[in-house]
């Protein structure tokens, strides 16, 4: 399970996920500077840390690196939700509480996702009458 990203790591990864292409430190820096004052070396360090943690891969281009996300934001979010759910002492109650927090639009998305998963990997059919466990003697 990935540990949650820090605030600046998330800001950097958000750009990499949104742009969906290899990026340089300079590109990320220039975009971040629209929101905050930040140094080139800070962005470089964050990207290096993300590389060390396995969030991004990098390739040399000239004298700089280009960074690419290793997985999607959706996969990251799913891993966080799965970890939170796994930590519960009552997973069913945690799901009920989580579903209760959802907006109507989120519930529509949840129903769509369930239909997709069921279509792609249907549950096994229950055993026919007389199949399965032998009758006790």
């Amino acid at each position: 399970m990935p540990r949650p990203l820090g605030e600046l790591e998330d800001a950097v990864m958000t750009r990499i996920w949104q742009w969906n292409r290899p990026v340089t430190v300079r590109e990320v820096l220039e975009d971040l500077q629209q929101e905050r004052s930040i140094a080139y070396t800070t962005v470089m360090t964050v990207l290096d840390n993300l590389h060390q943690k396995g969030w991004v891969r990098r390739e040399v281009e000239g004298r700089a690196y280009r960074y690419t996300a290793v997985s999607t934001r959706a996969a990251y979010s799913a891993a966080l939700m799965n970890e939170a759910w796994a930590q519960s002492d009552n997973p069913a109650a945690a799901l009920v509480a989580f579903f209760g927090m959802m907006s109507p639009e989120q519930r529509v998305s949840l129903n769509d996702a369930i239909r997709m998963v069921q279509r792609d990997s249907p549950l096994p059919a229950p055993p026919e009458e007389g199949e399965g466990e032998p009758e006790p003697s």
Side-chain angles (χ1 to χ4, degrees):
M1 149 64 192
R3 78 173 175 77
L5 295 170
E7 187 261 331
L8 189 51
E9 290 174 328
D10 186 69
V12 170
M13 285 304 302
T14 294
R15 282 153 178 83
I16 295 171
W17 283 320
Q18 286 175 342
W19 296 339
N20 196 27
R21 62 175 171 73
V23 301
T24 63
V25 172
R26 174 85 40 214
E27 290 172 310
V28 175
L29 171 71
E30 289 173 358
D31 200 59
L32 284 171
Q33 284 179 331
Q34 295 176 29
E35 299 172 0
R36 63 178 84 186
S37 177
I38 190 165
Y40 181 92
T41 53
T42 301
V43 176
M44 184 175 62
T45 299
V46 169
L47 280 163
D48 186 59
N49 290 343
L50 289 168
H51 176 256
Q52 297 299 322
K53 293 176 182 180
W55 286 104
V56 295
R57 67 177 145 267
R58 65 185 179 195
E59 294 181 18
V60 176
E61 183 178 284
R63 294 176 44 210
Y65 287 113
R66 284 212 173 260
Y67 295 87
T68 308
V70 169
S71 67
T72 64
R73 178 159 207 91
Y76 168 68
S77 297
L80 291 177
M81 288 187 286
N82 188 54
E83 179 66 17
W85 184 46
Q87 296 298 318
S88 174
D89 60 348
N90 187 339
L95 283 175
V96 169
F98 179 64
F99 297 156
M101 295 176 194
M102 292 179 145
S103 69
E105 296 80 16
Q106 290 171 319
R107 287 192 187 117
V108 168
S109 295
L110 174 64
N111 285 328
D112 291 345
I114 290 169
R115 277 193 293 281
M116 283 188 272
V117 168
Q118 287 174 335
R119 181 188 66 224
D120 293 343
S121 45
L123 295 173
E128 294 289 324
E129 190 72 33
E131 291 182 10
E133 296 292 320
E135 294 286 323
S137 317

